[in-house]
Amino acid sequence: MFIANELRKKSIAEYLLYMWQVEDTIRAFGCQLGRIRREYIAHFDYSDEQKDEETDWFGNLIRMMNEEGKRESGHLQINMVTLQLLEELHQQLLSSSKYPFYTSEYYKVLPFIVELRNKGANKDEHEIETCLNSLYGVMMLRLKKATISPDTEHAVKEISTLIGMLSDYYHKDKEEPLEF
């Protein structure tokens, strides 16, 4: 909860990737709050009160996962809404002539998006979801200390730039609505 709150203020994309990781963490612990408290939350340098707050937060996420049928896979509706907001902003930025740097970066990334879609199982997912899925996948590979090819590293660098720009525009739009 504490990490999620900080990331949400700083970078909506990093927040979303973190939330996907939290969903997977919950699944790794069998959606059992007691295990998450003992084997995960206990390792953080939190006060007892903070550990209780974090446990409540995880408990609420587990409840939502159960209610939404996401115990095995998929993303919570709250995360999908955030993803949809990013996708809508992405489309608005592309359709406006006021954001040429974003559009330019998008066209650098587009071949990677097409390639990822051709390789992926879900060819109907939106472009931003494809980008975030690729970043999440590479993040998981890095956690496993797997080798990442130079081509993949290059693609991830470009995708990260686009997603970083989108995240920045998202926060700017929340502070003062962007003009399209």
Side-chain angles (χ1 to χ4, degrees):
M1 174 184 84
F2 301 108
I3 295 170
N5 288 342
E6 285 305 308
L7 286 174
R8 189 170 185 96
K9 291 179 212 167
K10 183 181 105 180
S11 168
I12 196 67
E14 287 182 40
Y15 162 80
L16 197 52
L17 292 170
Y18 176 75
M19 290 304 296
W20 288 0
Q21 186 178 19
V22 167
E23 291 168 343
D24 283 345
T25 298
I26 290 169
R27 291 182 189 111
F29 286 100
C31 297
Q32 297 173 21
L33 187 57
R35 280 191 66 204
I36 292 169
R37 169 88 186 205
R38 282 189 318 275
E39 299 173 35
Y40 184 72
I41 296 171
H43 295 287
F44 288 94
D45 188 23
Y46 292 154
S47 68
D48 287 343
E49 183 180 320
Q50 288 174 314
K51 287 179 183 177
D52 290 344
E53 287 179 56
E54 191 82 355
T55 301
D56 289 345
W57 184 69
F58 270 92
N60 286 329
L61 292 174
I62 292 169
R63 180 186 48 74
M64 286 187 272
M65 289 173 77
N66 286 328
E67 289 172 358
E68 295 177 22
K70 305 294 182 189
R71 286 180 65 96
E72 301 298 320
S73 65
H75 300 300
L76 289 169
Q77 190 60 38
I78 57 171
N79 295 329
M80 295 307 292
V81 167
T82 301
L83 179 60
Q84 183 60 39
L85 292 172
L86 284 173
E87 183 63 40
E88 289 169 5
L89 179 59
H90 167 70
Q91 293 302 327
Q92 290 174 314
L93 291 167
L94 290 178
S95 66
S96 174
S97 61
K98 295 182 180 183
Y99 304 95
F101 293 112
Y102 184 82
T103 301
S104 174
E105 187 59 34
Y106 167 73
Y107 283 111
K108 284 186 196 174
V109 172
L110 185 57
F112 302 121
I113 294 171
V114 170
E115 184 179 345
L116 288 164
R117 279 191 173 164
N118 288 336
K119 289 179 180 178
N122 187 357
K123 295 181 186 346
D124 295 327
E125 72 186 9
H126 294 288
E127 292 174 329
I128 298 307
E129 186 173 4
T130 298
C131 291
L132 288 169
N133 278 331
S134 70
L135 295 176
Y136 188 75
V138 169
M139 184 175 77
M140 291 296 106
L141 288 173
R142 287 184 176 138
L143 286 173
K144 294 176 185 177
K145 299 191 183 338
T147 303
I148 299 167
S149 74
D151 287 345
T152 300
E153 288 284 359
H154 174 68
V156 165
K157 183 177 181 236
E158 292 296 338
I159 291 169
S160 294
T161 300
L162 179 73
I163 294 299
M165 290 173 78
L166 179 61
S167 189
D168 288 346
Y169 281 124
Y170 176 89
H171 287 290
K172 286 177 184 172
D173 190 48
K174 292 298 172 204
E175 291 169 10
E176 186 176 323
L178 297 173
E179 293 182 22
F180 299 101

Short mmCIF file of all heavy atoms in Angstrom, two decimals, residues 19-60:
data_model
loop_
_atom_site.label_atom_id
_atom_site.label_comp_id
_atom_site.label_asym_id
_atom_site.label_seq_id
_atom_site.Cartn_x
_atom_site.Cartn_y
_atom_site.Cartn_z
N MET A 19 1.26 -2.89 -9.30
CA MET A 19 -0.01 -3.54 -8.92
C MET A 19 -0.14 -4.92 -9.58
O MET A 19 -0.66 -5.85 -8.97
CB MET A 19 -1.20 -2.65 -9.26
CG MET A 19 -1.31 -1.42 -8.38
SD MET A 19 -1.38 -1.79 -6.60
CE MET A 19 -2.91 -2.71 -6.50
N TRP A 20 0.34 -5.05 -10.80
CA TRP A 20 0.33 -6.37 -11.44
C TRP A 20 1.23 -7.33 -10.66
O TRP A 20 0.91 -8.50 -10.49
CB TRP A 20 0.79 -6.27 -12.88
CG TRP A 20 -0.20 -5.60 -13.80
CD1 TRP A 20 -1.43 -5.09 -13.46
CD2 TRP A 20 -0.05 -5.35 -15.19
NE1 TRP A 20 -2.03 -4.54 -14.57
CE2 TRP A 20 -1.20 -4.68 -15.64
CE3 TRP A 20 0.97 -5.61 -16.09
CZ2 TRP A 20 -1.37 -4.30 -16.97
CZ3 TRP A 20 0.80 -5.22 -17.41
CH2 TRP A 20 -0.36 -4.58 -17.84
N GLN A 21 2.35 -6.81 -10.18
CA GLN A 21 3.26 -7.64 -9.39
C GLN A 21 2.61 -8.02 -8.06
O GLN A 21 2.75 -9.15 -7.60
CB GLN A 21 4.57 -6.89 -9.16
CG GLN A 21 5.63 -7.73 -8.47
CD GLN A 21 6.93 -6.98 -8.31
OE1 GLN A 21 6.99 -5.75 -8.37
NE2 GLN A 21 7.99 -7.72 -8.06
N VAL A 22 1.86 -7.11 -7.46
CA VAL A 22 1.15 -7.40 -6.22
C VAL A 22 0.12 -8.50 -6.47
O VAL A 22 -0.02 -9.44 -5.66
CB VAL A 22 0.49 -6.13 -5.63
CG1 VAL A 22 -0.51 -6.46 -4.53
CG2 VAL A 22 1.56 -5.19 -5.10
N GLU A 23 -0.61 -8.42 -7.57
CA GLU A 23 -1.58 -9.48 -7.91
C GLU A 23 -0.88 -10.83 -7.99
O GLU A 23 -1.37 -11.83 -7.43
CB GLU A 23 -2.26 -9.18 -9.26
CG GLU A 23 -3.19 -7.99 -9.24
CD GLU A 23 -3.63 -7.55 -10.63
OE1 GLU A 23 -2.98 -7.93 -11.64
OE2 GLU A 23 -4.61 -6.80 -10.70
N ASP A 24 0.28 -10.87 -8.65
CA ASP A 24 1.03 -12.12 -8.76
C ASP A 24 1.58 -12.57 -7.42
O ASP A 24 1.65 -13.77 -7.14
CB ASP A 24 2.16 -11.98 -9.79
CG ASP A 24 1.65 -12.04 -11.23
OD1 ASP A 24 0.50 -12.46 -11.45
OD2 ASP A 24 2.41 -11.64 -12.13
N THR A 25 1.97 -11.62 -6.58
CA THR A 25 2.46 -11.97 -5.24
C THR A 25 1.34 -12.62 -4.44
O THR A 25 1.55 -13.65 -3.77
CB THR A 25 2.99 -10.71 -4.52
OG1 THR A 25 4.09 -10.17 -5.26
CG2 THR A 25 3.42 -11.02 -3.09
N ILE A 26 0.16 -12.04 -4.50
CA ILE A 26 -0.99 -12.61 -3.80
C ILE A 26 -1.24 -14.04 -4.28
O ILE A 26 -1.46 -14.95 -3.47
CB ILE A 26 -2.24 -11.72 -3.98
CG1 ILE A 26 -2.07 -10.41 -3.20
CG2 ILE A 26 -3.52 -12.46 -3.56
CD1 ILE A 26 -3.12 -9.35 -3.51
N ARG A 27 -1.19 -14.24 -5.58
CA ARG A 27 -1.40 -15.59 -6.13
C ARG A 27 -0.30 -16.55 -5.67
O ARG A 27 -0.57 -17.72 -5.38
CB ARG A 27 -1.44 -15.53 -7.65
CG ARG A 27 -2.67 -14.84 -8.19
CD ARG A 27 -2.69 -14.84 -9.73
NE ARG A 27 -3.78 -14.00 -10.17
CZ ARG A 27 -3.63 -12.83 -10.79
NH1 ARG A 27 -2.41 -12.36 -11.06
NH2 ARG A 27 -4.68 -12.12 -11.14
N ALA A 28 0.95 -16.06 -5.62
CA ALA A 28 2.06 -16.91 -5.19
C ALA A 28 1.89 -17.40 -3.76
O ALA A 28 2.37 -18.47 -3.40
CB ALA A 28 3.39 -16.15 -5.33
N PHE A 29 1.18 -16.63 -2.94
CA PHE A 29 0.90 -17.02 -1.57
C PHE A 29 -0.47 -17.67 -1.43
O PHE A 29 -1.01 -17.76 -0.32
CB PHE A 29 1.03 -15.82 -0.62
CG PHE A 29 2.46 -15.41 -0.37
CD1 PHE A 29 3.01 -14.32 -1.04
CD2 PHE A 29 3.26 -16.11 0.52
CE1 PHE A 29 4.32 -13.94 -0.83
CE2 PHE A 29 4.59 -15.73 0.74
CZ PHE A 29 5.12 -14.65 0.06
N GLY A 30 -1.03 -18.11 -2.55
CA GLY A 30 -2.29 -18.85 -2.53
C GLY A 30 -3.47 -18.02 -2.07
O GLY A 30 -4.44 -18.58 -1.55
N CYS A 31 -3.39 -16.71 -2.22
CA CYS A 31 -4.47 -15.80 -1.79
C CYS A 31 -4.77 -15.96 -0.30
O CYS A 31 -5.90 -15.76 0.14
CB CYS A 31 -5.74 -16.00 -2.63
SG CYS A 31 -5.52 -15.62 -4.37
N GLN A 32 -3.76 -16.31 0.48
CA GLN A 32 -3.92 -16.53 1.92
C GLN A 32 -3.30 -15.35 2.67
O GLN A 32 -2.07 -15.20 2.72
CB GLN A 32 -3.26 -17.83 2.33
CG GLN A 32 -3.89 -19.05 1.68
CD GLN A 32 -3.10 -20.32 1.98
OE1 GLN A 32 -2.34 -20.37 2.95
NE2 GLN A 32 -3.27 -21.32 1.15
N LEU A 33 -4.14 -14.57 3.29
CA LEU A 33 -3.69 -13.35 3.97
C LEU A 33 -2.72 -13.65 5.10
O LEU A 33 -1.73 -12.92 5.28
CB LEU A 33 -4.90 -12.56 4.48
CG LEU A 33 -4.60 -11.19 5.06
CD1 LEU A 33 -3.87 -10.30 4.05
CD2 LEU A 33 -5.89 -10.53 5.53
N GLY A 34 -2.96 -14.70 5.84
CA GLY A 34 -2.06 -15.05 6.94
C GLY A 34 -0.64 -15.31 6.45
O GLY A 34 0.33 -14.85 7.06
N ARG A 35 -0.52 -16.04 5.37
CA ARG A 35 0.80 -16.30 4.78
C ARG A 35 1.44 -15.01 4.29
O ARG A 35 2.64 -14.80 4.49
CB ARG A 35 0.69 -17.27 3.60
CG ARG A 35 0.58 -18.72 4.01
CD ARG A 35 0.74 -19.64 2.81
NE ARG A 35 2.08 -19.53 2.26
CZ ARG A 35 2.39 -19.82 0.99
NH1 ARG A 35 1.46 -20.21 0.14
NH2 ARG A 35 3.62 -19.71 0.56
N ILE A 36 0.66 -14.16 3.64
CA ILE A 36 1.21 -12.90 3.14
C ILE A 36 1.74 -12.07 4.30
O ILE A 36 2.82 -11.49 4.22
CB ILE A 36 0.15 -12.13 2.31
CG1 ILE A 36 -0.15 -12.89 1.01
CG2 ILE A 36 0.60 -10.71 2.02
CD1 ILE A 36 -1.34 -12.39 0.24
N ARG A 37 0.99 -12.03 5.39
CA ARG A 37 1.42 -11.26 6.57
C ARG A 37 2.72 -11.84 7.15
O ARG A 37 3.66 -11.10 7.42
CB ARG A 37 0.30 -11.29 7.63
CG ARG A 37 0.68 -10.76 9.00
CD ARG A 37 0.47 -9.30 9.12
NE ARG A 37 0.99 -8.78 10.39
CZ ARG A 37 0.54 -7.71 10.95
NH1 ARG A 37 -0.41 -7.00 10.40
NH2 ARG A 37 1.07 -7.27 12.08
N ARG A 38 2.76 -13.17 7.33
CA ARG A 38 3.92 -13.82 7.96
C ARG A 38 5.14 -13.87 7.05
O ARG A 38 6.26 -13.62 7.49
CB ARG A 38 3.58 -15.27 8.34
CG ARG A 38 2.79 -15.45 9.59
CD ARG A 38 2.70 -16.94 9.98
NE ARG A 38 2.45 -17.84 8.87
CZ ARG A 38 1.24 -18.13 8.37
NH1 ARG A 38 0.17 -17.57 8.88
NH2 ARG A 38 1.11 -18.98 7.37
N GLU A 39 4.92 -14.20 5.78
CA GLU A 39 6.04 -14.50 4.89
C GLU A 39 6.44 -13.35 3.97
O GLU A 39 7.48 -13.42 3.32
CB GLU A 39 5.72 -15.74 4.05
CG GLU A 39 5.47 -16.98 4.90
CD GLU A 39 4.98 -18.16 4.09
OE1 GLU A 39 5.41 -18.30 2.91
OE2 GLU A 39 4.15 -18.93 4.60
N TYR A 40 5.63 -12.31 3.92
CA TYR A 40 5.93 -11.20 3.01
C TYR A 40 5.99 -9.87 3.77
O TYR A 40 7.03 -9.25 3.87
CB TYR A 40 4.90 -11.17 1.87
CG TYR A 40 5.17 -10.12 0.83
CD1 TYR A 40 6.23 -10.26 -0.07
CD2 TYR A 40 4.36 -8.99 0.72
CE1 TYR A 40 6.48 -9.29 -1.04
CE2 TYR A 40 4.60 -8.02 -0.25
CZ TYR A 40 5.66 -8.18 -1.13
OH TYR A 40 5.90 -7.22 -2.08
N ILE A 41 4.87 -9.46 4.32
CA ILE A 41 4.79 -8.16 5.00
C ILE A 41 5.75 -8.08 6.17
O ILE A 41 6.36 -7.04 6.42
CB ILE A 41 3.33 -7.87 5.44
CG1 ILE A 41 2.43 -7.76 4.20
CG2 ILE A 41 3.26 -6.59 6.27
CD1 ILE A 41 0.95 -7.68 4.52
N ALA A 42 5.93 -9.17 6.88
CA ALA A 42 6.81 -9.20 8.05
C ALA A 42 8.25 -8.80 7.72
O ALA A 42 8.98 -8.33 8.60
CB ALA A 42 6.80 -10.59 8.68
N HIS A 43 8.65 -8.95 6.46
CA HIS A 43 10.03 -8.64 6.06
C HIS A 43 10.26 -7.15 5.81
O HIS A 43 11.41 -6.73 5.64
CB HIS A 43 10.42 -9.45 4.82
CG HIS A 43 10.45 -10.92 5.09
ND1 HIS A 43 11.44 -11.52 5.83
CD2 HIS A 43 9.58 -11.91 4.74
CE1 HIS A 43 11.20 -12.82 5.92
NE2 HIS A 43 10.08 -13.08 5.26
N PHE A 44 9.21 -6.36 5.77
CA PHE A 44 9.36 -4.92 5.55
C PHE A 44 9.68 -4.24 6.87
O PHE A 44 9.25 -4.67 7.93
CB PHE A 44 8.09 -4.32 4.93
CG PHE A 44 7.88 -4.71 3.50
CD1 PHE A 44 7.09 -5.80 3.16
CD2 PHE A 44 8.48 -3.98 2.48
CE1 PHE A 44 6.89 -6.15 1.84
CE2 PHE A 44 8.30 -4.33 1.16
CZ PHE A 44 7.50 -5.43 0.84
N ASP A 45 10.41 -3.16 6.78
CA ASP A 45 10.77 -2.39 7.96
C ASP A 45 9.64 -1.41 8.28
O ASP A 45 9.79 -0.19 8.13
CB ASP A 45 12.09 -1.64 7.71
CG ASP A 45 12.62 -0.98 8.96
OD1 ASP A 45 12.26 -1.42 10.07
OD2 ASP A 45 13.38 0.00 8.82
N TYR A 46 8.51 -1.97 8.70
CA TYR A 46 7.32 -1.19 9.04
C TYR A 46 7.04 -1.32 10.53
O TYR A 46 7.36 -2.33 11.15
CB TYR A 46 6.08 -1.71 8.29
CG TYR A 46 6.07 -1.51 6.79
CD1 TYR A 46 5.31 -2.36 5.99
CD2 TYR A 46 6.75 -0.48 6.16
CE1 TYR A 46 5.25 -2.18 4.60
CE2 TYR A 46 6.70 -0.30 4.79
CZ TYR A 46 5.95 -1.16 4.02
OH TYR A 46 5.89 -0.98 2.66
N SER A 47 6.37 -0.31 11.05
CA SER A 47 5.89 -0.41 12.43
C SER A 47 4.75 -1.42 12.46
O SER A 47 4.22 -1.81 11.41
CB SER A 47 5.37 0.96 12.90
OG SER A 47 4.19 1.31 12.18
N ASP A 48 4.35 -1.83 13.66
CA ASP A 48 3.23 -2.78 13.78
C ASP A 48 1.96 -2.18 13.18
O ASP A 48 1.19 -2.89 12.52
CB ASP A 48 3.00 -3.17 15.24
CG ASP A 48 4.08 -4.09 15.77
OD1 ASP A 48 4.82 -4.70 14.96
OD2 ASP A 48 4.19 -4.20 17.02
N GLU A 49 1.76 -0.89 13.39
CA GLU A 49 0.58 -0.23 12.82
C GLU A 49 0.62 -0.24 11.29
O GLU A 49 -0.39 -0.50 10.64
CB GLU A 49 0.50 1.21 13.33
CG GLU A 49 -0.74 1.95 12.85
CD GLU A 49 -0.79 3.38 13.39
OE1 GLU A 49 -0.44 3.60 14.56
OE2 GLU A 49 -1.17 4.26 12.59
N GLN A 50 1.79 0.03 10.72
CA GLN A 50 1.93 0.01 9.27
C GLN A 50 1.73 -1.41 8.73
O GLN A 50 1.12 -1.58 7.67
CB GLN A 50 3.31 0.53 8.86
CG GLN A 50 3.47 2.02 9.03
CD GLN A 50 4.90 2.46 8.76
OE1 GLN A 50 5.86 1.84 9.23
NE2 GLN A 50 5.04 3.54 8.00
N LYS A 51 2.23 -2.40 9.45
CA LYS A 51 2.02 -3.79 9.02
C LYS A 51 0.54 -4.14 9.04
O LYS A 51 0.05 -4.86 8.16
CB LYS A 51 2.82 -4.75 9.91
CG LYS A 51 4.30 -4.70 9.63
CD LYS A 51 5.08 -5.64 10.53
CE LYS A 51 6.57 -5.50 10.25
NZ LYS A 51 7.41 -6.30 11.13
N ASP A 52 -0.19 -3.63 10.03
CA ASP A 52 -1.64 -3.86 10.08
C ASP A 52 -2.34 -3.19 8.88
O ASP A 52 -3.22 -3.79 8.27
CB ASP A 52 -2.23 -3.32 11.38
CG ASP A 52 -1.84 -4.14 12.61
OD1 ASP A 52 -1.37 -5.30 12.43
OD2 ASP A 52 -1.98 -3.63 13.73
N GLU A 53 -1.92 -1.96 8.57
CA GLU A 53 -2.50 -1.26 7.42
C GLU A 53 -2.22 -2.01 6.12
O GLU A 53 -3.09 -2.15 5.27
CB GLU A 53 -1.94 0.17 7.31
CG GLU A 53 -2.46 1.12 8.36
CD GLU A 53 -1.85 2.50 8.20
OE1 GLU A 53 -1.98 3.08 7.09
OE2 GLU A 53 -1.26 2.99 9.17
N GLU A 54 -0.99 -2.46 5.97
CA GLU A 54 -0.59 -3.20 4.77
C GLU A 54 -1.37 -4.52 4.68
O GLU A 54 -1.82 -4.90 3.61
CB GLU A 54 0.92 -3.46 4.81
CG GLU A 54 1.49 -3.96 3.51
CD GLU A 54 1.80 -2.88 2.49
OE1 GLU A 54 1.49 -1.70 2.71
OE2 GLU A 54 2.34 -3.23 1.44
N THR A 55 -1.55 -5.17 5.81
CA THR A 55 -2.33 -6.42 5.84
C THR A 55 -3.77 -6.16 5.43
O THR A 55 -4.35 -6.92 4.64
CB THR A 55 -2.27 -7.06 7.24
OG1 THR A 55 -0.89 -7.33 7.56
CG2 THR A 55 -3.06 -8.34 7.30
N ASP A 56 -4.36 -5.08 5.93
CA ASP A 56 -5.73 -4.73 5.54
C ASP A 56 -5.82 -4.47 4.03
O ASP A 56 -6.77 -4.90 3.37
CB ASP A 56 -6.22 -3.48 6.30
CG ASP A 56 -6.49 -3.75 7.76
OD1 ASP A 56 -6.59 -4.93 8.16
OD2 ASP A 56 -6.60 -2.76 8.52
N TRP A 57 -4.83 -3.77 3.50
CA TRP A 57 -4.81 -3.47 2.08
C TRP A 57 -4.75 -4.76 1.26
O TRP A 57 -5.51 -4.94 0.31
CB TRP A 57 -3.61 -2.56 1.79
CG TRP A 57 -3.51 -2.10 0.36
CD1 TRP A 57 -4.33 -1.23 -0.28
CD2 TRP A 57 -2.49 -2.45 -0.58
NE1 TRP A 57 -3.88 -1.03 -1.58
CE2 TRP A 57 -2.75 -1.77 -1.78
CE3 TRP A 57 -1.37 -3.28 -0.51
CZ2 TRP A 57 -1.94 -1.89 -2.91
CZ3 TRP A 57 -0.56 -3.40 -1.63
CH2 TRP A 57 -0.86 -2.71 -2.82
N PHE A 58 -3.84 -5.66 1.63
CA PHE A 58 -3.75 -6.94 0.93
C PHE A 58 -5.05 -7.73 1.09
O PHE A 58 -5.51 -8.37 0.14
CB PHE A 58 -2.56 -7.77 1.44
CG PHE A 58 -1.29 -7.51 0.69
CD1 PHE A 58 -0.39 -6.56 1.12
CD2 PHE A 58 -0.99 -8.23 -0.46
CE1 PHE A 58 0.79 -6.31 0.43
CE2 PHE A 58 0.19 -8.00 -1.16
CZ PHE A 58 1.08 -7.03 -0.71
N GLY A 59 -5.66 -7.66 2.26
CA GLY A 59 -6.93 -8.34 2.48
C GLY A 59 -8.01 -7.83 1.54
O GLY A 59 -8.80 -8.62 0.98
N ASN A 60 -8.06 -6.53 1.36
CA ASN A 60 -9.04 -5.95 0.42
C ASN A 60 -8.76 -6.39 -1.01
O ASN A 60 -9.69 -6.68 -1.77
CB ASN A 60 -9.04 -4.42 0.51
CG ASN A 60 -9.71 -3.93 1.77
OD1 ASN A 60 -10.63 -4.55 2.29
ND2 ASN A 60 -9.25 -2.80 2.28
#
